[in-house]
Amino acid sequence: MGNAWSAPERTKLRKKMAEQLMDKGNPSLPWELIVEILSWLPVKSLGRFRCVSKPWNALIADPNFIKMHFDKTSENDDVFYQRRRLIFNEPGCCSLYSVNLDQLILNQNNDHGADDLIAPEAQLVCGDLPSYRVVDLFYCDGLLLCKLAEMPMTIYLVNPTTGESEELPEAPDNIQHLGFGFDHSTDDYKVVSAVFYDMLVFCVYSLKTGSWEELECSLPYSGAYTFHAVLLNGTLHWIMETPDQTSMIVAFLLEEEQAGEIPLPVEYSSDAGDCVLGAFRDCLCLTHCSDERTYNEFWVMNEYGEGQSWTKIKISIPYPELSLSGFWKENHDLLVFQKQLVMYNFKEQSFCNLSIPGFPHVDCIGTYLESLVSPNYHGITDREH
């Protein structure tokens, strides 16, 4: 949710909140200290504390406090790992579930002899939407974008921690290829739909305005290998194909609302049919999905946007289908081999199978941070300078 604030900015924010929200009583603690303490607490605790008083309720709902709370979560490793959660569903069943795996990884580090890991019990992600019909899932910070199995296509924004949800208005064009991310320049969440006519055109939904806009930006592409955009560096990425059957990564920058191109490895520039675009830590990556062969490697783009930086990474488990969950810590990455979870150590080229009780197979894997951000979000108020 934007860059970290400087110490002077945070001091100004605390003083502003104290002036706006301090009631006429005389609390036993200074209001600024109360604000600081509350900003470190978990979301569910804050939900209960909104009932303490009107000033507390107003504070916890204030966009500036929500931003401060989220920044503390993302900047502090201890807090980050306490509030990061894995979200998933199981094939053929569209209900959403979440689980906290960081404590599990800590236990694994203390028990090097473990061959298999058992995750904590999964929790059903609740909200006002019919979660049992979620067929595709996007995530950014503390919000999820859920695509439902309905026609016409229905899309919800959900905060899985607070249970808040909001249905998006119908897009001006038929939604085909979705993406979801945060524009740091405007403090705005954006949903992007890439649509094919004679050209590839883009429609953008802004949470600040609550409306869709069709952009003039267009590209000469005729089809896509990727329906689900990969978010990295404030940019959404799809693998697409030109009319002359050249394959390329199309990159849509959320800040400029402009699209560009990133080359694939040379051997896939004419046929990317079995490639799966993803993110390996902070880099774009390409894995594979094939019914005809197995692989023991995948590609990583070490320098963003530089076609010559594509590098193969070996993996000790031959696979016909592999995807990366986006969940990693130190040397461990959570991978999905044919819809089964594996915690892989790339430094030692070793792995542990990971099972979630009651879920032999998983799908739509992603991660999110517990946050106060509302799907009815209308941006953060301008900071004082």
Side-chain angles (χ1 to χ4, degrees), residues 232-233 249 262-265 277-286 298-314 346:
L232 186 70
N233 297 331
I249 296 175
I262 296 176
L264 289 164
L277 186 63
F280 177 67
R281 305 203 169 197
D282 296 322
C283 300
L284 286 175
C285 72
L286 284 175
F298 63 94
W299 291 84
V300 172
M301 178 175 261
N302 290 317
E303 299 293 333
Y304 181 77
E306 297 295 329
Q308 295 181 347
S309 72
W310 284 108
T311 304
K312 289 182 179 180
I313 292 185
K314 295 290 184 180
F346 280 94

Side-chain angles (χ1 to χ4, degrees), residues 96 129 134 136-137 144-148 154-158:
L96 297 178
L129 78 163
V134 175
D136 203 358
L137 183 66
L144 306 178
L145 182 73
C146 300
K147 173 182 168 184
L148 304 191
T154 305
I155 303 172
Y156 276 84
L157 278 171
V158 180

Side-chain angles (χ1 to χ4, degrees), residues 3 19 29 32-33 47 49 96-97 104 132 165 216-217 251 266 270-271 273 336 342 350 368-369 379 384:
N3 298 324
E19 293 170 357
L29 291 176
E32 291 184 27
L33 182 56
F49 292 160
L96 297 178
Y97 298 87
L104 184 70
Y132 58 88
S165 63
E216 295 182 1
C217 167
V266 175
S270 59
D271 183 11
V336 187
V342 170
S350 60
Y368 69 91
L369 285 179
E384 293 182 354

